[in-house]
Amino acid sequence: MLDAVLFDWSHTLVQSEWDDALVEAGHRAALGRDDAEFTARWRELILGDAHDRRPYAELLSELGIDDPDAFIDAEHGVWFSAYRVQASAVALLEMLRDRGLKTGVVGGGWPDPERILRADAEALGLAAHFDVIVFGPDSLVRACSELEVDPAHVLLVSDSLGDVQRGAALGMTTAQALWFRADDTPGIEADFQVFTAVDVVSIVRRLARSTA
């Protein structure tokens, strides 16, 4: 029995390629000036292991930013131009909901705060196609709770094999999305691999038949 399909956000539904020029432009917009020294310190803290996934606003304060929220808004306004949505995402979500399935988007939500990611979902035309939008370290559990579904009746689609492992531990059926990137973390395998939106639909049909 399948009640819901959850999608990871970054590199599954939405892709953004790293661009050093955009990083510098984002900082220029947020600071109102070019500041190579700030960008160098930002790289050291944000891209290193020392951040320990602390809230981005907290890290910016550590870097001397007086108004982290304003900085994040200005920076993200520049970065947003690099985002692109999986080509068949809207059609896929509509098809799943037409089949009576609940849909949700989940993700770790770092470094961007949840308010930014929710605004992105709206701006990209995806928010209306989800029954739940949840970001944070416990997003899988929270999404199932809000949807009132048993994890055993959920299909999780994510590019990340770490997500796959967490979903499987909760009893979810898992599918690794390979349309944007191929995570090859050793020792972890999804139940399925999907290269297109059609593959997701095929899995849903297969699961429906197996419980008929």
Side-chain angles (χ1 to χ4, degrees):
M1 180 180 179
L2 187 64
D3 292 327
V5 182
L6 299 179
F7 292 88
D8 175 47
W9 179 251
S10 182
H11 304 299
T12 300
L13 287 175
V14 175
Q15 173 76 329
S16 59
E17 297 291 347
W18 183 267
D19 186 329
D20 287 334
L22 274 180
V23 170
E24 295 171 4
H27 292 172
R28 186 182 310 118
L31 297 171
R33 66 183 188 278
D34 286 311
D35 193 330
E37 181 183 347
F38 173 86
T39 298
R41 290 189 295 116
W42 181 94
R43 288 178 186 278
E44 183 177 351
L45 180 60
I46 305 302
L47 303 183
D49 296 326
H51 58 70
D52 196 28
R53 289 196 173 259
R54 285 180 288 152
Y56 188 37
E58 179 182 314
L59 297 173
L60 289 173
S61 293
E62 201 169 296
L63 289 170
I65 300 300
D66 294 329
D67 189 345
D69 285 340
F71 182 101
I72 291 170
D73 289 343
E75 177 186 56
H76 191 74
V78 173
W79 290 0
F80 186 75
S81 64
Y83 284 26
R84 60 190 179 102
V85 179
Q86 200 276 345
S88 304
V90 171
L92 172 59
L93 293 168
E94 289 179 345
M95 193 176 303
L96 294 174
R97 295 179 89 179
D98 286 345
R99 294 180 67 91
L101 295 170
K102 297 177 181 179
T103 59
V105 61
V106 294
W110 194 91
D112 294 316
E114 185 166 349
R115 66 178 180 82
I116 289 288
L117 296 169
R118 286 181 174 274
D120 285 350
E122 289 282 356
L124 293 169
L126 293 175
H129 300 282
F130 295 116
D131 296 294
V132 67
I133 298 176
V134 182
F135 293 104
D138 59 347
S139 60
L140 295 179
V141 173
R142 286 170 53 204
C144 289
S145 176
E146 292 188 28
L147 290 174
E148 298 182 336
V149 296
D150 185 328
H153 300 158
V154 172
L155 171 64
L156 171 66
V157 182
S158 175
D159 71 288
S160 165
L161 289 176
D163 288 346
V164 163
Q165 188 174 52
R166 285 184 285 274
L170 294 171
M172 296 178 179
T173 300
T174 59
Q176 183 186 10
L178 296 166
W179 44 67
F180 282 137
R181 70 171 193 142
D183 182 354
D184 58 358
T185 303
I188 306 173
E189 290 187 8
D191 297 308
F192 302 94
Q193 290 185 324
V194 291
F195 297 88
T196 68
V198 173
D199 294 336
V200 178
V201 176
S202 296
I203 293 169
V204 168
R205 288 172 176 163
R206 178 174 172 177
L207 293 174
R209 286 198 300 270
S210 68
T211 57

